[in-house]
Amino acid sequence: MKKVITGNYAVSYGAMVSRSQVIAAYPITPQTQIVELLSEFCADGLLDAKFIKVESEHSAMASCIGASATGARAFTATSAHGLALMHELLHWAALGRLPIVLANVNRAMGPGWSIWTDQNDSLSQRDTGWLQFYCESNQEILDTIIQGFKISEQILLPTMLVLDAFFLSHTSEPVDIPDIEVVDTYLPKYNATYRLSTENPYAFGGLTGPDHYFEIRYKMQETMDQAIEIARQADEEFERIFGRSHGLIERYYSDDAELILVVSGSIASTTRDVVDQLRSEGRNVGMLKVRMFRPFPRQEFRNAVRRAKKVAVIDRNICVGFGGIFYQEITSTMYGHRDDLPIFGFIAGLGGRDVTPNVIHEIVTHAETHDTPDTEIIWIGVKR
Amino acid sequence: MIEIRIHGRGGQGAVVASQVLAAALFQEGKCVQSFPTFGVERRGAPVAAFTRMDDREIRLRCEIYEPDHLMVLDPTLIEAIDVTTGLKENGWIVINSDKHFGEFHLPSKFRIATVDANAIAVKHNLGTRTAPIVNTAILGAFSRITELVSIEAIVAAVKEEVPLNPEENAAACREAYEKVRGQNITP
Amino acid sequence: MKKRKYPKDEIITFKSANEMPPLAVSLGSMRWNKTGSWRYIRPIYENKTPPCDEACPAGEDVEGVQYLCEQGKFEDAWKLILEEHPFPGVQGRVCYHPCEEACNRGHYDEAISIHAVERFVGDYGLNHGLIPPRLSQERGHKKSEKIAIIGAGPAGLVCAYHLARMGYTPLVLEAHPVPGGILRVGIPSYRLPKDILEAEIEHIIKMGVDIQTDSRVDRDLLLKDLKDFNAIYVATGAHESRNLNVPGEDASGVMSGLQFLIDLNLGKKIAIGKKVAVIGGGNTAMDTARSVLRLGSEVVVVYRRSRAEMPAIPAEVEEAEHEGIPIHFLATPIRVITDQERVVQMECVKMELGEPDESGRRRPVPVEGSNFIMDVETVFTAIGESPQLSFLTEDIQTEWGSIVVSDHGETSKKGIFAGGDAVDQPRTVAHAIGSGKVAAIAIDTFLRGKDTAKIAASVQIGQKGSVSMERYLRGEIRYNASKVVRFEDINLAYFEHKDRVDLPRADIEKAKQSFVEVNSGLPESAVTTESGRCFNCGVCNMCENCWVFCPDISISRKTDAFGYDIDYDHCKGCGICVEECPREAMSLEEEQK
């Protein structure tokens, strides 16, 4: 069924058709509507889930951890400071190997207080051991929740999917909401290997000395490496059933492009229009959309830029003291592989500043007119 | 692509109007997108909501700066803010007002239409006399004036999207469709 | 980092990062954001009418008195009452205090002891030799018109007092040898000591009012001596006792209760028997019975209806009973039995209550065969009094034995005004005072050629006919919106339950042996405590709640006057000030778009 819905509602529908069994969430702008609709689903009997009202995001994640440990499919959603408050338990969920799915609405961190989008909230959780997907459209949001459970329950690591505040969360567009029975064929019931149970009791998360902790970390990384392939398969299987896929690193007119723009989130969508226009003008520009950020599909990225002459990374985030975070990832990924490839790091759209086609044109023009970047950070649109 | 901006005050339902319009256009096979002003909405404060429509997939994910047409739910906004900012030439401004469209002194490059949506809303028991809910009625007027979307699609979308009093809202749409007056639109 | 100054009322827009501070910090204000334009409803800061004020027939600023007394400002409180009438000492003793009946606090715990507070204030004024407040030279300048006032009772004296304040020199003609009317000759001194009354009348005399006693006005005098007066106020009261209309009534032992009180108050010797019956249930009956008791006789009150229908002030009935006076309810005399012209017995019949009569009270009906005999030597009748109006010329219309007047005290004859018990109104001192004020305003507006009705309407307090002389004489000073504050309007969260302070009760055995005042007053500390219980319904006392609670900082204290200003540019109409105002001095109004 196709419906015109907001990104927030796409999250709620995604959690519903995935048959989430426990939902524990705390409202925060701009995520609130997700929680509202899910609580309505539960109240109206459209979703057979336990909806746990909690007093904070910390408790929300704690509840999801407990629920997931019993083998239930657990879901939550948050944003910005809510995600930051969860930080300790994000580690817990990952190290506890719990396949929780979390939707984070990208919102800038305060103060100065902002409810508008940028990626620093989710990127600050980069090292917690969660998979991260950055979404471009409402359809992709819904699909990524289903895929997230599918991937997480195979590898026992949690998934965070990320959507831009307002540009997605509050924007309505047509979304195909798949039939729940069809989703069932893609996403079978979760069957936990280790679970909290009175019949076969385990203790979880016990003291782990130097003899073993190291190996736990090793196994996590091993799994993360496998996750790339599992995610690819999950996307392919999704396409077979639902007729659409989203890729991990999506190539858009990039194979023969001299300049490749590397983007994520809703900026990717606007960039497609710009690329189309530039192509029509005969300018050889393409785009790579980084959908999967953790684990980072390094080899896939390297393959995608094999023939490029320049790469321009657009970061809607900043690692203060270093630069754009995607830029870091990509320079690191390319180290020793294409030392001749200039990588430009652009910072744009922080705190919800609009990234319009003009902004992207400015970035393209800058990259086209410079052989190499003058600085590690190129600020676009900042009022100096 | 056609871009539409709806001006109202917090609580008047501009956002719902933008969504209903998108849903109606979608039913007619258009690609659509709608969104509110990004930010905090306060009851009574000026707000805006937006709808994009196109025959092909809409990939622009930025705000709307140069709309093709406007709807104004509260005529006092015309005094309070410059509603015409960025409006394209020849754009329609559909205003909820009991005044004749000729009484509004807006630049002549725009086309004005008015409909007394307050009276229509009150007649159909939508909201109260002091705070009538006019967001559905104005869409009926918009349908007639711009011919971008059929009244049937609007009415169907209203019934689908508006949870309270769908029949009354649909009737208000139809009445506003009949009663709207603007340049070249006569009874 | 250098700090810069920015205009407070403008949006600060930075052109470059260099201009900005490194953190989010307020450099200006949000005053440019005129949030008031978003409002659907607006708060109105306007004093309302307290129910006590509306209920007071004398038009006192009851709430204002409590407000001042709470702060110990007794001199100001006394002067506030004197703006309305010159008798706080009297009224603090004899008023039937309907204000307490109306007091909103009565719905919470107990009404304020307004009556007791007034007595304290009255006594305070007398004890401290206070002088009535004067009007400005402009308002009170000397006026030449001649005004005669017939009757020096409360109505006449109050009228004279206010006319004198306005600059007139009224002449008051009194039939009795002393001024004061019923206050002086009707009410016994154990209720109203003579010195209190005399001292308050002295204030009036000192203002230049000429009171001629022993001057009974007859038709001849009215037509001749008063012919060239510009205005006459008739306030002759109601002194004619109604007859019992039973056999044996003419016997010498059957007397008018009111006349007995008059004689007693004028110091005359009256011979009464050892066993006395008083017929009636009004204040005259109570006063008569209690006076008889003090003269050493045995007394019984016979009243034809039940307690609920008694017209006397309940407190007076209670005190009479407290002093041991039996009241024989539902009985009426049908015959006075004499032996050699001396009353020896009275035959009565028992009554039962039937259908309500035109007064709304249930009509007593004799019970057949229930006759009984009482041994009595003196019978006092106190079944009602009527005005004596034979001196009036025919062009002054009367009806049912009373003078017909307009709402403003105007009789059917131009220039002649009337009030007090001589007109058809409740026979209370408070009503007499109120009518004296109404007449003073009507006479002044008449003599100055102004629109009496319009002006009278502008000085009304509530809807029960009371007027504010302060507002008439001093303009907007005591302006209250006509809305009378209801109990539901009070925010009870701001008031703690607290017991009412009542007048200390006298030693009965001692009291009933003399004509010394029965009740003593309240001590000063009790008065401030008691006034502090007042809700101050509808009248701002600057408790600061609105100012403290306003989330938009849209309420500010007036810099040059009492009260607050509301900044409608920023008030969003949230209504919190209205909710938190304990006393309805803030109210909401729909915004007119």
Side-chain angles (χ1 to χ4, degrees):
Chain A
M1 176 188 54
K2 268 206 166 184
K3 255 177 96 99
V4 180
I5 57 171
T6 61
N8 276 342
Y9 278 11
V11 171
S12 309
Y13 276 105
M16 181 180 76
V17 297
S18 301
R19 293 196 195 273
S20 300
Q21 291 168 295
V22 174
I23 295 160
Y26 190 82
I28 180 172
T29 300
Q31 156 267 32
T32 308
Q33 297 154 344
I34 299 174
V35 186
E36 284 173 351
L37 189 59
L38 280 171
S39 66
E40 278 174 34
F41 285 159
C42 292
D44 296 347
L46 293 172
L47 174 57
D48 183 18
K50 178 88 182 159
F51 187 94
I52 305 176
K53 287 183 282 183
V54 287
E55 72 281 9
S56 73
E57 286 84 357
H58 192 276
S59 300
M61 185 46 67
S63 302
C64 286
I65 288 169
S68 187
T70 68
R73 192 166 280 163
F75 180 82
T76 187
T78 188
S79 182
H81 289 256
L83 185 67
L85 185 55
M86 278 183 187
H87 177 76
E88 180 208 0
L89 292 167
L90 294 179
H91 280 290
W92 214 115
L95 285 156
R97 303 301 293 265
L98 297 168
I100 299 162
V101 172
L102 178 155
N104 180 67
V105 184
N106 260 157
R107 162 184 159 182
M109 297 297 289
W113 288 105
S114 168
I115 54 172
W116 295 272
T117 198
D118 77 29
Q119 297 169 327
N120 263 84
D121 58 347
S122 55
L123 290 172
S124 294
Q125 309 303 337
R126 184 185 66 173
D127 301 336
T128 54
W130 284 60
L131 282 70
Q132 282 198 2
F133 292 89
Y134 287 80
C135 298
E136 177 187 354
S137 70
N138 295 356
Q139 186 69 60
E140 190 179 327
I141 291 164
L142 188 148
D143 295 347
T144 303
I145 292 174
I146 302 169
Q147 290 189 9
F149 279 118
K150 174 90 173 177
I151 301 162
S152 283
E153 289 169 9
Q154 293 175 71
I155 61 171
L156 299 185
L157 282 174
T159 292
M160 180 187 303
L161 68 124
V162 180
L163 56 145
D164 293 353
F166 298 111
F167 291 105
L168 291 174
S169 71
H170 284 65
T171 297
S172 298
E173 60 183 7
V175 174
D176 176 37
I177 302 164
D179 288 343
I180 195 159
E181 290 77 16
V182 181
V183 176
D184 287 344
T185 63
Y186 175 77
L187 182 64
K189 200 174 177 313
Y190 170 48
N191 194 5
T193 315
Y194 302 97
R195 68 174 73 192
L196 267 179
S197 162
T198 49
E199 281 151 30
N200 191 14
Y202 290 104
F204 289 80
L207 185 71
T208 309
D211 270 356
H212 295 108
Y213 184 89
F214 195 81
E215 283 66 32
I216 283 177
R217 279 297 195 189
Y218 170 77
K219 289 175 80 67
M220 266 177 96
Q221 177 55 39
E222 203 177 37
T223 307
M224 273 288 191
D225 289 340
Q226 294 160 8
I228 294 168
E229 186 50 34
I230 287 171
R232 188 175 291 118
Q233 286 167 12
D235 196 38
E236 284 165 8
E237 187 185 342
F238 193 89
E239 184 173 20
R240 283 198 294 279
I241 295 176
F242 300 99
R244 57 183 176 263
S245 67
H246 304 286
L248 306 182
I249 305 269
E250 190 205 333
R251 303 177 183 196
Y252 190 74
Y253 293 104
S254 62
D255 289 355
D256 64 342
E258 291 182 9
L259 171 63
I260 295 181
L261 300 167
V262 180
V263 295
S264 61
S266 65
I267 293 177
S269 186
T270 307
T271 304
R272 290 177 201 270
D273 268 9
V274 176
V275 167
D276 284 1
Q277 198 201 331
L278 293 170
R279 284 279 172 169
S280 72
E281 292 167 10
R283 287 156 80 179
N284 208 354
V285 177
M287 175 189 98
L288 285 180
K289 177 182 103 179
V290 179
R291 176 169 173 251
M292 186 187 225
F293 177 75
R294 274 293 175 275
F296 193 79
R298 283 184 286 215
Q299 197 49 52
E300 190 170 334
F301 186 88
R302 288 174 194 138
N303 293 343
V305 299
R306 185 170 302 154
R307 282 192 282 273
K309 296 225 168 68
K310 288 176 188 169
V311 165
V313 184
I314 305 179
D315 270 296
R316 196 172 221 165
N317 61 74
I318 171 106
C319 167
V320 179
F322 197 94
I325 296 169
F326 280 78
Y327 170 75
Q328 291 174 40
E329 299 275 330
I330 285 154
T331 49
S332 160
T333 296
M334 295 311 295
Y335 177 76
H337 292 271
R338 280 280 312 273
D339 291 348
D340 63 319
L341 179 67
I343 303 175
F344 293 75
F346 294 95
I347 305 278
L350 299 185
R353 190 163 299 174
D354 207 0
V355 178
T356 60
N358 284 346
V359 171
I360 299 163
H361 277 290
E362 188 185 340
I363 288 168
V364 169
T365 305
H366 184 104
E368 282 178 341
T369 53
H370 290 71
D371 292 335
T372 53
D374 297 336
T375 53
E376 303 267 5
I377 302 170
I378 305 161
W379 296 89
I380 296 298
V382 75
K383 289 180 272 191
R384 278 192 220 262
Chain B
M1 189 182 315
I2 302 281
E3 295 179 318
I4 296 137
R5 185 168 68 207
I6 306 173
H7 290 276
R9 289 185 182 273
Q12 274 194 309
V15 179
V16 171
S18 73
Q19 285 170 338
V20 171
L21 178 59
L25 289 161
F26 178 64
Q27 282 175 20
E28 297 202 323
K30 302 284 184 196
C31 293
V32 294
Q33 193 187 70
S34 77
F35 51 89
T37 306
F38 295 161
V40 285
E41 182 176 308
R42 281 166 294 195
R43 193 172 173 80
V47 294
F50 307 84
T51 300
R52 282 191 171 109
M53 62 171 281
D54 205 345
D55 292 324
R56 50 180 284 249
E57 188 193 358
I58 297 170
R59 299 186 299 197
L60 264 189
R61 290 190 192 276
C62 58
E63 297 177 45
I64 290 173
Y65 300 94
E66 294 181 352
D68 294 273
H69 304 295
L70 301 183
M71 283 178 252
V72 182
L73 298 184
D74 178 355
T76 65
L77 286 168
I78 292 172
E79 314 294 325
I81 56 171
D82 181 10
V83 296
T84 64
T85 304
L87 179 62
K88 286 183 186 147
E89 207 171 317
N90 251 355
W92 275 108
I93 308 173
V94 183
I95 307 169
N96 164 26
S97 169
D98 58 358
K99 288 190 194 165
H100 186 263
F101 59 84
E103 291 179 55
F104 286 91
H105 301 290
L106 293 165
S108 59
K109 61 178 173 175
F110 308 128
R111 294 179 288 173
I112 320 286
T114 59
V115 64
D116 190 355
N118 281 4
I120 293 170
V122 168
K123 183 178 158 190
H124 293 282
N125 289 321
L126 300 171
T128 62
R129 189 179 56 76
T130 48
I133 297 168
V134 297
N135 59 346
T136 46
I138 200 106
L139 290 174
F142 182 80
S143 159
R144 171 77 175 276
I145 289 292
T146 62
E147 297 177 338
L148 288 171
V149 58
S150 72
I151 184 68
E152 283 70 31
I154 290 284
V155 167
V158 162
K159 289 183 182 172
E160 178 81 8
E161 300 285 322
V162 180
L164 284 175
N165 308 318
E167 293 302 327
E168 288 83 350
N169 277 295
C173 273
R174 288 191 189 279
E175 186 167 342
Y177 181 87
E178 295 301 330
K179 290 200 169 158
V180 65
R181 297 290 173 264
Q183 280 142 314
N184 310 323
I185 304 288
T186 45
Chain C
M1 180 114 359
K2 234 171 56 192
K3 269 196 198 168
R4 281 180 57 181
K5 278 209 178 297
Y6 294 91
K8 291 275 182 214
D9 294 348
E10 287 173 29
I11 302 176
I12 301 171
T13 309
F14 298 109
K15 293 256 179 328
S16 77
N18 292 337
E19 298 172 21
M20 289 172 62
L23 68 163
V25 58
S26 65
L27 300 174
S29 78
M30 291 293 285
R31 290 185 58 80
W32 53 267
N33 193 6
K34 297 207 187 310
T35 47
S37 61
W38 313 347
R39 199 170 45 226
Y40 291 100
I41 44 173
R42 62 162 59 202
I44 303 293
Y45 175 60
E46 182 179 59
N47 284 346
K48 315 295 183 303
T49 301
C52 49
D53 283 19
E54 183 189 47
C56 178
E60 280 184 34
D61 184 352
V62 178
E63 179 280 330
V65 170
Q66 307 310 311
Y67 172 71
L68 293 168
C69 285
E70 182 192 0
Q71 303 167 72
K73 296 179 176 172
F74 303 118
E75 179 170 345
D76 291 346
W78 186 81
K79 286 186 170 162
L80 191 61
I81 298 176
L82 270 278
E83 291 286 350
E84 301 300 337
H85 70 78
F87 289 125
V90 170
Q91 280 294 73
R93 289 172 167 83
V94 304
C95 186
Y96 76 111
H97 46 77
C99 49
E100 294 189 18
E101 204 63 39
C103 178
N104 278 332
R105 180 109 198 182
H107 300 287
Y108 187 52
D109 40 29
E110 290 175 284
I112 309 298
S113 278
I114 298 167
H115 186 53
V117 170
E118 180 172 25
R119 171 170 166 175
F120 176 87
V121 172
D123 290 353
Y124 184 94
L126 295 176
N127 294 339
H128 291 76
L130 301 182
I131 298 162
R134 292 191 188 284
L135 296 179
S136 66
Q137 197 58 38
E138 194 187 350
R139 190 71 183 85
H141 71 89
K142 277 282 162 227
K143 297 179 180 69
S144 59
E145 288 91 345
K146 290 171 75 179
I147 303 166
I149 293 170
I150 309 174
L157 288 176
V158 166
C159 183
Y161 167 74
H162 285 301
L163 290 171
R165 294 179 77 204
M166 295 174 204
Y168 298 100
T169 317
L171 168 67
V172 182
L173 300 168
E174 170 56 47
H176 286 118
V178 284
I182 206 78
L183 299 173
R184 177 63 179 78
V185 300
I187 298 176
S189 55
Y190 63 83
R191 274 223 284 148
L192 174 57
K194 303 280 174 273
D195 57 337
I196 300 286
L197 176 64
E198 281 160 10
E200 292 193 329
I201 292 175
E202 194 58 31
H203 285 141
I204 303 168
I205 293 169
K206 276 191 180 153
M207 294 177 79
V209 174
D210 182 8
I211 305 176
Q212 292 185 12
T213 49
D214 286 318
S215 304
R216 186 172 290 278
V217 173
D218 54 19
R219 188 178 292 207
D220 200 38
L221 187 136
L222 185 69
L223 288 174
K224 283 185 184 156
D225 295 12
L226 301 182
K227 134 169 119 345
D228 59 339
F229 274 68
N230 301 82
I232 297 173
Y233 182 49
V234 180
T236 45
H239 294 256
E240 295 271 285
S241 286
R242 281 192 204 134
N243 292 331
L244 288 173
N245 289 327
V246 297
E249 191 176 2
D250 300 335
S252 60
V254 182
M255 291 182 274
S256 147
L258 180 60
Q259 193 55 50
F260 161 72
L261 291 172
I262 292 171
D263 290 346
L264 196 63
N265 277 317
L266 291 176
K268 292 185 188 164
K269 268 271 178 248
I270 316 120
I272 59 166
K274 279 282 135 204
K275 280 174 174 281
V276 179
V278 176
I279 317 300
N283 286 326
T284 306
M286 294 303 115
D287 287 344
T288 303
R290 293 175 72 189
S291 295
V292 166
L293 187 74
R294 280 161 173 76
L295 293 176
S297 295
E298 204 177 301
V299 64
V300 60
V301 174
V302 178
Y303 178 51
R304 60 189 184 139
R305 305 189 208 224
S306 71
R307 182 186 300 271
E309 287 81 29
M310 285 183 88
I313 300 171
E316 299 297 322
V317 180
E318 197 191 309
E319 283 181 15
E321 289 190 304
H322 194 62
E323 289 172 3
I325 297 171
I327 303 176
H328 207 126
F329 290 108
L330 290 166
T332 196
I334 53 169
R335 184 162 65 103
V336 178
I337 303 164
T338 55
D339 179 15
Q340 298 174 353
E341 306 246 313
R342 275 183 49 237
V343 175
V344 289
Q345 281 180 321
M346 183 170 76
E347 183 179 355
C348 298
V349 65
K350 290 189 177 168
M351 312 290 277
E352 60 186 8
L353 295 177
E355 294 300 307
D357 62 13
E358 67 277 0
S359 75
R361 296 179 301 172
R362 292 174 68 189
R363 186 193 300 278
V365 187
V367 180
E368 214 164 304
S370 66
N371 299 28
F372 63 96
I373 305 281
M374 291 168 75
D375 290 339
V376 292
E377 293 161 25
T378 305
V379 176
F380 284 119
T381 60
I383 58 168
E385 296 84 24
S386 43
Q388 201 286 100
L389 302 171
S390 59
F391 67 100
L392 294 178
T393 52
E394 279 72 24
D395 49 0
I396 297 171
Q397 201 189 331
T398 62
E399 199 175 78
W400 301 108
S402 298
I403 304 171
V404 176
V405 288
S406 71
D407 288 346
H408 319 301
E410 301 148 316
T411 68
S412 54
K413 187 170 178 181
K414 209 169 175 188
I416 311 272
F417 302 81
D421 287 357
V423 306
D424 181 20
Q425 69 173 27
R427 300 260 166 87
T428 75
V429 180
H431 284 91
I433 289 172
S435 71
K437 287 165 63 180
V438 166
I441 293 170
I443 290 168
D444 187 42
T445 51
F446 166 70
L447 294 178
R448 307 259 76 77
K450 292 181 194 154
D451 184 341
T452 303
K454 196 175 150 195
I455 290 174
S458 72
V459 298
Q460 282 245 7
I461 305 164
Q463 304 300 318
K464 294 182 180 168
S466 303
V467 296
S468 166
M469 187 59 82
E470 189 183 15
R471 199 187 302 169
Y472 178 67
L473 295 175
R474 298 194 191 269
E476 292 296 294
I477 278 185
R478 193 184 160 192
Y479 173 74
N480 289 340
S482 62
K483 187 209 150 108
V484 178
V485 178
R486 301 161 305 165
F487 178 62
E488 304 82 77
D489 298 327
I490 301 295
N491 186 340
L492 296 174
Y494 292 102
F495 300 99
E496 285 176 20
H497 286 281
K498 213 166 183 186
D499 289 340
R500 165 186 162 111
V501 182
D502 272 311
L503 284 181
R505 185 159 286 224
D507 177 346
I508 290 304
E509 289 313 312
K510 244 165 116 185
K512 68 188 191 187
Q513 285 166 22
S514 80
F515 281 86
V516 172
E517 188 168 25
V518 171
N519 294 315
S520 50
L522 291 180
E524 185 176 316
S525 63
V527 170
T528 48
T529 307
E530 185 60 13
S531 299
R533 291 176 65 236
C534 178
F535 286 162
N536 302 101
C537 300
V539 184
C540 179
N541 61 4
M542 289 199 78
C543 73
E544 312 274 52
N545 268 11
C546 56
W547 181 74
V548 167
F549 276 95
C550 176
D552 279 323
I553 321 175
S554 294
I555 293 175
S556 56
R557 295 192 193 103
K558 283 187 195 296
T559 48
D560 52 350
F562 186 96
Y564 302 95
D565 287 317
I566 300 175
D567 172 5
Y568 288 110
D569 276 345
H570 295 95
C571 163
K572 287 212 292 288
C574 69
I576 291 176
C577 56
V578 176
E579 184 60 32
E580 297 305 328
C581 175
R583 46 189 55 84
E584 190 73 1
M586 286 273 185
S587 46
L588 284 177
E589 188 174 90
E590 204 174 88
E591 195 68 48
Q592 299 300 320
K593 293 241 174 190

